[in-house]
């Protein structure tokens, strides 16, 4: 199938880009391998997106999806296995079909960053999780720990606190990256116990996770944990590309002010881009810029 613009990723960046290109009359297809909205759709509550004092990530992304499709963006639920450069643009291969696009927008976000522990993989789905809103309900009235100190960690605590018996918050440093007002709020939750200067060292359990070995201020102790929610950021995955893009030392794509990459007619936007501040609102702005750049050539 021939299209004008192919967008990989139907999160806030990808959908925003699709709205702009589709409204300009460009035939646009947006690929999503999981669910609409990406990481944003998993947010229990979003309180800093203009126009909504408070809205769930799922509701916000559903609204964006309806907007994008209403103006002509075709959303295809399929994994893009490979992207090659051609004389006229790009060739994208999925399990079902091959697409040829004049322009490409990469909006794939990132995958959850893991702790890197030896037993971590064995406990995934058996106590270890990377999404509180996805798996939190399995730990009703149990003891869990949230690893991280950013906004994702706070969101996880907000979701888990009403459900579980106890929540440990394990943050590597004394200071948190999350908004200070949010940190002060979760400190008031009676079942939340914040442990700063702490690092997860090992995981224990016969068939499922039962204990977490934590180093706190240089001292090691085992904490009873039925669940461990890892919220330490995300990392890029560009393994589907058969060409090289200029990236920073962490693997995130470097773009200019128009979201252009070093490859002609290839753009990137959202959390896959090398930048300091990553929020739904900035992802939407990136997508709008990338989409507009495609229109202008």
């Amino acid at each position: 199938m021939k299209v004008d613009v192919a967008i990989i990723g139907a999160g806030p960046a990808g959908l925003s880009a699709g709205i702009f290109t589709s409204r300009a009359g460009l035939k646009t297809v947006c690929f999503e391998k999981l669910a609409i909205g990406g990481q944003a759709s998993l947010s229990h509550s979003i309180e800093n997106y203009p126009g909504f004092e408070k809205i769930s990530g799922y509701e916000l992304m559903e609204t964006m999806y309806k907007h994008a499709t209403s103006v002509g963006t075709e959303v295809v639920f399929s994994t893009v296995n490979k992207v090659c450069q051609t004389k006229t643009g790009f060739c994208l291969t999925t399990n079902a079909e091959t697409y040829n696009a004049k322009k490409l927008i990469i909006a794939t976000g990132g995958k959850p960053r893991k702790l890197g522990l030896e037993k971590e993989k064995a406990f995934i789905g058996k106590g270890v999780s990377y999404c509180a809103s996805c798996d939190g309900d399995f730990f009703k009235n149990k003891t869990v720990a949230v690893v991280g100190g950013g906004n994702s960690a706070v969101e996880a605590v907000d979701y888990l606190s009403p459900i579980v018996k106890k929540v440990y918050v394990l943050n590597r440093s004394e200071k948190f990256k999350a908004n200070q007002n949010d940190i002060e709020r979760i400190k008031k939750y009676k079942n939340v116990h914040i442990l700063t200067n702490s690092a997860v060292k090992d995981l224990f359990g016969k068939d499922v996770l039962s204990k977490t070995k934590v180093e706190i201020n240089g001292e090691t102790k085992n904490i009873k944990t039925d669940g461990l929610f890892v919220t330490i950021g995300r990392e890029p995955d560009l393994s589907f590309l058969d060409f090289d893009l200029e990236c920073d030392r962490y693997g995130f794509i470097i773009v200019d002010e128009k979201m252009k990459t070093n490859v002609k007619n290839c753009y990137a936007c959202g959390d896959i881009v090398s930048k300091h501040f990553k929020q739904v609102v900035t992802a939407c702005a990136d997508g709008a810029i990338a989409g507009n750049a495609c229109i202008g050539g």
Side-chain angles (χ1 to χ4, degrees), residues 55-72:
I55 188 171
S56 74
Y58 175 81
E59 290 178 290
L60 181 59
M61 295 317 305
E62 184 69 14
T63 300
M64 290 187 191
Y65 168 67
K66 289 179 179 178
H67 187 174
T69 54
S70 73
V71 295

Side-chain angles (χ1 to χ4, degrees), residues 3-7 26 88-90 92 101-105 265-267 293-297:
V3 299
D4 294 314
V5 181
I7 302 170
L26 299 180
T88 57
F90 304 90
L92 296 84
K102 297 176 183 177
K103 298 184 180 181
L104 174 69
I105 298 177
N265 291 326
C266 178
Y267 305 79
C294 284
I295 298 167

Side-chain angles (χ1 to χ4, degrees), residues 140-213:
K140 186 176 182 180
N141 298 323
K142 294 184 177 182
T143 298
V144 301
V146 172
V147 186
N151 293 322
S152 295
V154 171
E155 289 180 4
V157 173
D158 278 332
Y159 187 86
L160 293 166
S161 179
I163 300 171
V164 303
K165 180 181 178 181
K166 184 185 293 185
V167 184
Y168 289 104
V169 180
L170 309 176
N171 188 31
R172 269 192 170 275
S173 64
E174 190 72 33
K175 295 183 178 180
F176 287 83
K177 293 182 179 179
N179 182 284
Q180 191 58 40
N181 290 334
D182 292 335
I183 297 300
E184 293 303 320
R185 185 185 70 251
I186 66 172
K187 283 182 178 179
K188 296 177 182 178
Y189 297 165
K190 292 182 179 180
N191 63 341
V192 171
H193 302 266
I194 296 177
L195 302 175
T196 55
N197 299 314
S198 60
V200 179
K201 294 297 183 180
D202 206 350
L203 306 172
F204 303 102
K206 187 178 180 181
D207 297 314
V208 295
L209 181 69
S210 60
K211 291 181 182 179
T212 300
K213 184 177 181 179

Side-chain angles (χ1 to χ4, degrees), residues 4-282:
D4 294 314
V5 181
I7 302 170
I8 308 177
L15 292 175
S16 294
I19 289 171
F20 275 76
T21 56
S22 296
R23 291 186 72 248
L26 299 180
K27 186 174 182 180
T28 303
V29 61
C30 182
F31 299 93
E32 176 54 55
K33 66 179 180 179
L34 294 174
I36 290 299
Q39 179 68 15
S41 66
L42 303 177
S43 294
H44 175 57
S45 177
I46 294 175
E47 300 178 18
N48 59 2
Y49 190 84
F52 298 93
E53 291 184 16
K54 185 175 182 179
I55 188 171
S56 74
Y58 175 81
E59 290 178 290
L60 181 59
M61 295 317 305
E62 184 69 14
T63 300
M64 290 187 191
Y65 168 67
K66 289 179 179 178
H67 187 174
T69 54
S70 73
V71 295
T73 302
E74 179 185 357
V75 177
V76 175
F77 291 93
S78 184
T79 299
V80 175
N81 298 314
K82 189 175 183 180
V83 181
C84 304
Q85 283 185 281
T86 65
K87 291 182 179 180
T88 57
F90 304 90
C91 178
L92 296 84
T93 305
T94 70
N95 291 333
E97 194 170 348
T98 297
Y99 295 79
N100 288 288
K102 297 176 183 177
K103 298 184 180 181
L104 174 69
I105 298 177
I106 302 172
T108 49
K111 59 183 180 181
R113 180 174 287 117
K114 295 178 172 55
L115 292 168
L117 299 175
E118 183 181 351
K119 301 174 187 175
E120 183 175 3
K121 186 176 181 180
F123 282 116
I124 293 176
K126 299 178 181 179
V128 171
S129 173
Y130 304 91
C131 177
S133 60
C134 304
D135 302 323
D137 291 348
F138 294 116
F139 298 91
K140 186 176 182 180
N141 298 323
K142 294 184 177 182
T143 298
V144 301
V146 172
V147 186
N151 293 322
S152 295
V154 171
E155 289 180 4
V157 173
D158 278 332
Y159 187 86
L160 293 166
S161 179
I163 300 171
V164 303
K165 180 181 178 181
K166 184 185 293 185
V167 184
Y168 289 104
V169 180
L170 309 176
N171 188 31
R172 269 192 170 275
S173 64
E174 190 72 33
K175 295 183 178 180
F176 287 83
K177 293 182 179 179
N179 182 284
Q180 191 58 40
N181 290 334
D182 292 335
I183 297 300
E184 293 303 320
R185 185 185 70 251
I186 66 172
K187 283 182 178 179
K188 296 177 182 178
Y189 297 165
K190 292 182 179 180
N191 63 341
V192 171
H193 302 266
I194 296 177
L195 302 175
T196 55
N197 299 314
S198 60
V200 179
K201 294 297 183 180
D202 206 350
L203 306 172
F204 303 102
K206 187 178 180 181
D207 297 314
V208 295
L209 181 69
S210 60
K211 291 181 182 179
T212 300
K213 184 177 181 179
V214 183
E215 185 180 280
I216 308 168
N217 291 312
E219 296 185 4
T220 302
K221 65 182 296 185
N222 291 332
I223 298 175
K224 170 180 165 46
T225 46
D226 301 296
L228 185 74
F229 292 87
V230 182
T231 59
I232 55 174
R234 301 178 74 77
E235 56 188 14
D237 180 8
L238 299 174
S239 58
F240 56 89
L241 298 178
D242 84 330
F243 54 89
D244 293 327
L245 290 178
E246 185 181 0
C247 297
D248 64 17
R249 60 176 177 160
Y250 302 108
F252 292 96
I253 303 171
I254 295 173
V255 296
D256 66 10
E257 70 278 2
K258 292 185 177 181
M259 298 295 142
K260 291 182 179 180
T261 71
N262 63 304
V263 172
K264 185 179 179 181
N265 291 326
C266 178
Y267 305 79
C269 53
D271 286 4
I272 193 64
V273 167
S274 176
K275 60 179 181 177
H276 173 67
F277 193 53
K278 297 184 178 183
Q279 295 283 302
V280 172
V281 68
T282 61

